[in-house]
Amino acid sequence: IQFGKMPLEVAKGFQVITAAGFKGREAAALLRDALTLSVAGDVDLERAALSLAGAVDVFRTGIGSASHIGAVFAQVSADSVASVESIIEAMKQASAALSTYNVSVEEFAVMQEKLAKRNIIGSASGTSINNLLMELNSPPSKEAQRLMKEIGVSMYKDGGKVRKDLLTEFLPDLQQTLAKYDAETYSNIVKKMVNNRGLKAFTALMESDLKDVAATLEKYRNASVTAVVMAHEKQNSVMGDFNKLKAELMTSFIDSGATGADNMRTVLQELREVVASPEFKEGLSRLVILITEVAKAATKLVSAVGGLVGGADSWMGWGLKAAAAITMVIGPMRMLNSM
């Protein structure tokens, strides 16, 4: 209730978490982290729970890092035009490459922020990151493979292992290597290394100041309480109080319903018996016939008045007839609906 979430929302969020394989205390802890991210990032609780459950697997960090991942996502949304929803979508699109090529959540956050400055967010951002990583690791052509080997660019080191230093060493080395070439040669190399799908992310990173990248990385490494602070601020706003009130009311209704459940069931069963009885059906049939006859009589009366007012073919006469027709259809329906 303190998060302003309805019981059904919380139940669905918990169901998603347990379906992902988390049990007991782990599931409870992840649910709390999802509640925090949901409030801080204005996203559906079920969506937040599913995303955090997936993120700990994508970034290979374990359940204990869920709160940190939520804080990183909230920090990116606070420092850029990217929303938490768009960050989740980007992670979804790039998840396979992020996991395969050992990209950390902080490195992913830096790329999100850099791309957001170019108004590239959501699935477009994730697709570009995914393609860039795939192309750097598996060059799109033999010519690209030869070129990257020639200039000394590789995403592998230490006997063929995938690097774990995408932004701390690989990016600086790549910037330094390509800085040796003139603009035309640089452009030709880039066209062979990456195609249009990965070019957005490549350009955003290559044009980034390395000191700024390092500082941004450090900022996200320390983003441990951002989501909690944002959630607290929203919980203590007018909208937060309103959401808590809704949750309190719903809980009270559920509790009241549980307390009087037996009496309520008895009333409903008795009502079903009445509605199903032949007497009720006969009475309802007679009522429908009566309403229909009244509508017919009203139609004849208005039709006669229409003829007296301006003749059956006059616009006023036709107008009154139309009104009578509408009354004939709508009147009985309203009476039946009000029952």
Side-chain angles (χ1 to χ4, degrees), residues 193-313:
M193 285 177 58
V194 295
N195 60 33
N196 289 334
R197 294 178 299 174
L199 187 59
K200 295 175 182 177
F202 182 86
T203 304
L205 290 176
M206 289 300 294
E207 295 180 359
S208 297
D209 179 77
L210 292 177
K211 290 183 179 180
D212 180 60
V213 169
T216 307
L217 266 175
E218 189 64 22
K219 174 182 69 175
Y220 289 127
R221 289 187 182 120
N222 295 322
S224 59
V225 296
T226 303
V228 176
V229 171
M230 290 175 66
H232 179 74
E233 290 175 350
K234 291 185 179 182
Q235 285 172 305
N236 289 284
S237 65
V238 173
M239 184 56 70
D241 288 339
F242 181 70
N243 287 334
K244 288 181 207 174
L245 175 60
K246 287 195 297 183
E248 287 279 8
L249 283 171
M250 183 60 69
T251 302
S252 296
F253 282 137
I254 291 172
D255 291 342
S256 300
T259 303
D262 291 337
N263 291 334
M264 181 62 72
R265 287 192 65 198
T266 301
V267 171
L268 290 173
Q269 289 171 357
E270 292 176 354
L271 185 58
R272 281 176 54 201
E273 292 176 2
V274 171
V275 171
S277 68
E279 293 81 6
F280 180 85
K281 291 179 180 178
E282 183 180 355
L284 183 61
S285 178
R286 289 180 179 179
L287 180 59
V288 171
I289 293 171
L290 175 61
I291 293 172
T292 303
E293 292 301 323
V294 170
K296 286 181 179 178
T299 303
K300 292 179 180 178
L301 177 62
V302 175
S303 181
V305 172
L308 292 173
V309 170
D313 295 328

Side-chain angles (χ1 to χ4, degrees), residues 13-336:
F14 191 73
Q15 184 179 23
V16 166
I17 291 169
T18 54
F22 298 98
K23 308 295 180 185
R25 291 183 179 180
E26 284 189 345
L30 187 56
L31 177 62
R32 186 169 188 84
D33 294 332
L35 281 163
T36 301
L37 181 61
S38 175
V39 175
D42 291 321
V43 293
D44 178 75
L45 175 57
E46 191 174 351
R47 172 80 157 158
L50 183 62
S51 300
L52 283 182
V56 297
D57 181 61
V58 169
F59 299 112
R60 302 181 180 185
T61 51
I63 187 65
S65 67
S67 61
H68 174 65
I69 292 172
V72 170
F73 285 8
Q75 186 73 59
V76 176
S77 71
D79 294 346
S80 71
V81 298
S83 63
V84 169
E85 179 66 38
S86 72
I87 296 163
I88 290 172
E89 185 61 29
M91 180 190 70
K92 178 182 174 182
Q93 293 293 327
S95 59
L98 293 172
S99 181
T100 301
Y101 301 120
N102 296 321
V103 178
S104 69
V105 65
E106 295 86 4
E107 290 174 324
F108 171 69
V110 172
M111 289 189 278
Q112 283 294 286
E113 185 174 324
K114 298 302 180 185
L115 283 164
K117 288 182 178 179
R118 297 165 182 260
N119 204 31
I120 303 169
I121 59 176
S123 60
S125 171
T127 299
S128 185
I129 291 171
N130 181 75
N131 285 306
L132 173 63
L133 293 172
M134 296 291 286
E135 289 157 9
L136 287 176
N137 282 276
S138 301
S141 67
K142 289 184 178 180
E143 186 179 8
Q145 293 176 11
R146 178 191 60 77
L147 176 64
M148 291 178 67
K149 186 175 182 179
E150 184 179 306
I151 64 176
V153 175
S154 176
M155 287 286 286
Y156 297 88
K157 62 185 298 187
D158 299 331
K161 295 180 180 179
V162 179
R163 304 178 68 136
K164 296 183 178 181
D165 55 11
L166 178 65
L167 299 186
T168 54
E169 289 187 25
F170 177 77
L171 179 61
D173 289 347
L174 184 60
Q175 283 192 358
Q176 186 176 4
T177 298
L178 295 182
K180 301 173 183 177
Y181 301 97
D182 58 53
E184 184 178 356
T185 306
Y186 173 90
S187 179
N188 290 331
I189 291 174
V190 171
K191 287 178 182 178
K192 293 174 182 177
M193 285 177 58
V194 295
N195 60 33
N196 289 334
R197 294 178 299 174
L199 187 59
K200 295 175 182 177
F202 182 86
T203 304
L205 290 176
M206 289 300 294
E207 295 180 359
S208 297
D209 179 77
L210 292 177
K211 290 183 179 180
D212 180 60
V213 169
T216 307
L217 266 175
E218 189 64 22
K219 174 182 69 175
Y220 289 127
R221 289 187 182 120
N222 295 322
S224 59
V225 296
T226 303
V228 176
V229 171
M230 290 175 66
H232 179 74
E233 290 175 350
K234 291 185 179 182
Q235 285 172 305
N236 289 284
S237 65
V238 173
M239 184 56 70
D241 288 339
F242 181 70
N243 287 334
K244 288 181 207 174
L245 175 60
K246 287 195 297 183
E248 287 279 8
L249 283 171
M250 183 60 69
T251 302
S252 296
F253 282 137
I254 291 172
D255 291 342
S256 300
T259 303
D262 291 337
N263 291 334
M264 181 62 72
R265 287 192 65 198
T266 301
V267 171
L268 290 173
Q269 289 171 357
E270 292 176 354
L271 185 58
R272 281 176 54 201
E273 292 176 2
V274 171
V275 171
S277 68
E279 293 81 6
F280 180 85
K281 291 179 180 178
E282 183 180 355
L284 183 61
S285 178
R286 289 180 179 179
L287 180 59
V288 171
I289 293 171
L290 175 61
I291 293 172
T292 303
E293 292 301 323
V294 170
K296 286 181 179 178
T299 303
K300 292 179 180 178
L301 177 62
V302 175
S303 181
V305 172
L308 292 173
V309 170
D313 295 328
S314 71
W315 64 270
M316 186 172 292
W318 281 109
L320 288 171
K321 284 186 177 182
I326 293 171
T327 302
M328 182 175 65
V329 175
I330 296 178
M333 290 302 297
R334 281 182 174 173
M335 292 184 67
L336 288 173

